[in-house]
Amino acid sequence: MRIPLLVLVLLLAFPVQAQMQIEKPWVRATAPGAQVAGGYLVIRNQGSAADRLVSASSPMAAKVELHVHINDNGVMKMREVRGYDVPAKGSFELKPGGAHLMFLDIGRPFKEGEKVPVKLKFEKAGEVGAEFHVGRLGESAPSSGHKH
Ligand SMILES: [Cu+2]
């Protein structure tokens, strides 16, 4: 029995994406004139191999960097990192005050209720697309804010 080509294509295309589940992706709304925005999500790895988020991009920002907050002698600072490790059958959470996606040089302010399309690139799972929901301005804002 021959397997129809379409079925074969679906079989090849699906297992990869299904391994990485993106939960609650959201970005903070920005004030007029702001150039940067922070994005958050939970990455759930359903595969049996550890993976790594290595980069992200969005048509609504010139650049999207992977950042973490570090405590430098009591002062919270942001630092760019090469990637986030997502353990096998585990998850990695990006949240205010912790790891976050940093949208740089955004073309226009992110307004509450909008969607921001983002492409996440994983070492093994490849590219996974997600729509980030724009939350409220200053929602769960860490006191240190985002200084660049
Ligand atoms: Cu940042």
Side-chain angles (χ1 to χ4, degrees), residues 14-145:
F14 268 103
V16 172
Q17 284 230 345
Q19 310 239 311
M20 274 307 160
Q21 205 173 304
I22 307 303
E23 292 171 6
K24 294 180 222 137
W26 68 281
V27 289
R28 212 192 293 276
T30 60
Q35 296 296 306
V36 301
Y40 315 94
L41 69 153
V42 177
I43 303 163
R44 205 167 290 284
N45 182 2
Q46 290 171 322
S48 51
D51 205 343
R52 193 174 160 84
L53 175 65
V54 289
S55 66
S57 62
S58 170
M60 289 174 72
K63 206 175 170 204
V64 180
E65 292 183 350
L66 312 182
H67 281 191
V68 292
H69 270 105
I70 50 163
N71 189 329
D72 184 10
N73 287 321
V75 181
M76 290 297 278
K77 288 182 177 169
M78 292 198 303
R79 205 180 66 188
E80 188 181 2
V81 292
R82 291 250 177 108
Y84 303 126
D85 289 314
V86 190
K89 303 278 180 204
S91 61
F92 183 87
E93 186 178 8
L94 288 80
K95 55 174 188 253
H100 56 279
L101 297 180
M102 193 96 241
F103 295 74
L104 301 174
D105 292 328
I106 56 176
R108 57 175 180 78
F110 290 172
K111 292 197 190 84
E112 185 180 348
E114 285 183 334
K115 300 266 197 235
V116 177
V118 177
K119 261 188 199 161
L120 302 164
K121 198 173 168 201
F122 292 91
E123 216 165 63
K124 299 194 183 90
E127 277 190 353
V128 177
E131 293 236 291
F132 281 54
H133 176 86
V134 180
R136 237 169 288 134
L137 183 67
E139 191 171 332
S140 319
S143 55
S144 58

